[in-house]
Amino acid sequence: MKILVTGGAGFIGSNFVHYLYGERPDWHITVLDALTYAGNLKNLEGFDESRYRFVHGNICDAELVDSLFAEVDAVVHFAAESHNDNSLHDPRPFLDTNVVGTYTLLEAARKYDRRFHHVSTDEVYGDLELDDPNKFTENTAYNPSSPYSSTKAASDMLVRAWTRSFGVKATISNCSNNYGPYQHIEKFIPRQVSGVLLGRKPRLYGAGANVRDWIHTEDHSSAVLTILEKGKIGETYMVGANGEKNNKEVVELILELMGKPTNDYEHVTDRAGHDIRYAIDASKLKRELGWEPKYTDFRSGLQATIDWYTANQAWWQPQKDATEAKYKAAGH
Ligand code: NAD
Ligand code: TDX
């Protein structure tokens, strides 16, 4: 099996490549990544050249994409502009990569009749009230809030249309918030952990009541591989691990695990259009494909993540000042 992984130098993509490399020793992996601010070749060290190659390029480059699709059997598509706050400041790259990039890949999947798995997010469904007993399912109506989530929703729609109209052999997964190693320090958990390591206080948007449904990135990887191998063409699968926590609880736990007073944080300007709550019902994936998450103890998963950022300061330190300068300009 020869597989192309787009966005494999980012957070979830690189964790997936490490997972796949360990789980499927007879597969050959090609990573296509543009190495934007979010991509880092240090995330992809230690692979044998006979089983892995890196291609530096853009998913909007139709000629390059065509040549790579010609050589592989299947594609897993992680590449995206992924940060909501960036999308509020400058939406254009989100349109280019998330919409035009996905379109470019779909045209190649159609031409070469390649198996295509599209990695998407629960944010396409908008948000839930804090007291809503329902969770997102595969049948929830699309209702995205931000430029980021609207471009991901658009990309999901393109995948569905290319499957129905052109017979592209595609599946889609919509996953909740991931955490774990190699996550860019612009994101909530690594921003706070790296800040505390530098003696700074965590910064909570608004009151901190917003809820996210956390899943360890390794469980996302196992879900994607399960869907790639066993998923039914044309189907969508929700991916989540019953990890609902409000942001204040997460900050307090980070402070506790890092030996600081649990009230030692600041409230800062809220995000415009900030989604209240995400919650995933992953029962279809469990029932139909037999997937189960393994890393469901958030406390120990968070402790391991804190340990990783503590041991890998050289990995994140070069990006800290530029990341915080962007936040300062936005009042966060
Ligand atoms: P990330 O920002 O860490 O990584 C994105 C990667 O894509 C980077 O390596 C970047 O260089 C690459 N990239 C960006 N534009 C590109 C382009 N035009 N051509 C080629 N490569 C390009 O993102 P992530 O958090 O790892 O998210 C990966 C995927 O998972 C995204 O599709 C995202 O929507 C989805 N997702 C993320 C989460 C989450 O919690 N982070 C949850 C659910 C779904
Ligand atoms: O400093 C912060 N303080 C804070 O309170 C930051 C950076 C965030 N927050 C809040 C906003 C959110 O409620 O924490 C929560 C998580 O924020 P992000 O890490 O920016 O993630 P989110 O906006 O929930 O989106 C993430 O999950 C879904 C990923 O970035 C997306 O790519 C994925 O689709």
Side-chain angles (χ1 to χ4, degrees):
M1 179 77 146
K2 289 185 186 157
I3 184 161
L4 176 67
V5 179
T6 74
F11 162 47
I12 302 175
S14 63
N15 275 288
F16 178 74
V17 171
H18 282 281
Y19 177 79
L20 189 63
Y21 189 86
E23 292 290 314
R24 295 290 177 271
D26 52 339
W27 288 22
H28 184 275
I29 305 167
T30 300
V31 168
L32 170 61
D33 198 294
L35 297 178
T36 68
Y37 79 95
N40 190 340
L41 278 180
K42 292 200 170 71
N43 303 0
L44 291 169
E45 286 172 351
F47 300 131
D48 187 323
E49 271 179 28
S50 65
R51 293 177 50 203
Y52 161 85
R53 101 179 134 142
F54 179 80
V55 178
H56 184 199
N58 199 305
I59 57 166
C60 298
D61 180 344
E63 210 174 307
L64 173 64
V65 163
D66 186 285
S67 69
L68 294 174
F69 272 65
E71 297 168 6
V72 298
D73 304 301
V75 179
V76 180
H77 174 34
F78 291 96
E81 285 293 337
S82 68
H83 194 38
N84 277 298
D85 290 317
N86 291 343
S87 81
L88 295 165
H89 175 65
D90 181 15
R92 180 62 199 238
F94 290 75
L95 274 292
D96 292 339
T97 290
N98 300 358
V99 183
V100 178
T102 302
Y103 154 76
T104 308
L105 299 173
L106 285 168
E107 282 293 82
R110 172 188 176 192
K111 177 173 169 187
Y112 292 102
D113 194 25
R114 296 301 186 231
R115 176 77 178 86
F116 187 81
H117 180 69
H118 177 62
V119 177
S120 192
T121 168
D122 58 359
E123 297 193 18
V124 300
Y125 302 106
D127 58 358
L128 298 161
E129 292 300 328
L130 294 177
D131 59 356
D132 191 331
N134 298 307
K135 297 183 174 195
F136 297 139
T137 74
E138 292 77 7
N139 299 320
T140 303
Y142 273 49
N143 188 25
S145 312
S146 74
Y148 162 68
S149 54
S150 63
T151 57
K152 290 298 291 187
S155 68
D156 292 9
M157 295 295 144
L158 295 179
V159 176
R160 289 183 184 190
W162 261 243
T163 299
R164 176 154 175 174
S165 300
F166 306 124
V168 169
K169 295 181 296 198
T171 42
I172 301 175
S173 51
N174 294 87
C175 187
S176 59
N177 284 61
N178 285 220
Y179 74 100
Y182 301 114
Q183 185 167 32
H184 194 281
I185 50 162
E186 69 190 353
K187 302 298 195 311
F188 178 50
I189 289 176
R191 182 185 185 203
Q192 316 311 339
V193 171
S194 57
V196 172
L197 287 169
L198 295 175
R200 301 175 194 166
K201 291 178 194 236
R203 299 175 72 81
L204 209 43
Y205 290 1
N210 303 59
V211 170
R212 296 295 181 264
D213 189 351
W214 294 98
I215 182 173
H216 194 276
T217 190
E218 185 99 354
D219 283 329
H220 190 185
S221 292
S222 69
V224 168
L225 182 56
T226 299
I227 298 166
L228 181 70
E229 294 186 316
K230 301 196 219 157
K232 203 171 148 206
I233 300 306
E235 292 289 312
T236 289
Y237 298 89
M238 307 297 299
V239 183
N242 293 324
E244 281 188 72
K245 302 246 170 316
N246 74 37
N247 294 337
K248 187 163 162 286
E249 288 175 87
V250 175
V251 157
E252 287 170 349
L253 186 55
I254 290 171
L255 286 164
E256 183 198 324
L257 295 173
M258 296 183 80
K260 306 284 180 199
T262 55
N263 61 357
D264 200 15
Y265 57 82
E266 288 170 355
H267 292 279
V268 296
T269 314
D270 206 352
R271 174 184 286 170
H274 195 174
D275 280 339
I276 304 285
R277 170 175 164 240
Y278 308 135
I280 290 262
D281 175 352
S283 48
K284 175 179 172 182
L285 179 59
K286 293 178 177 177
R287 192 180 59 246
E288 295 187 6
L289 305 186
W291 173 81
E292 284 295 335
K294 277 192 193 157
Y295 301 88
T296 46
D297 178 2
F298 185 68
R299 189 186 176 90
S300 63
L302 187 59
Q303 180 67 67
T305 304
I306 291 169
D307 292 345
W308 190 87
Y309 282 89
T310 307
N312 290 282
Q313 191 147 344
W315 179 87
W316 55 263
Q317 177 85 52
Q319 303 209 319
K320 189 65 180 169
D321 287 349
T323 305
E324 289 304 319
K326 274 202 249 178
Y327 277 128
K328 195 171 178 203
H332 302 312

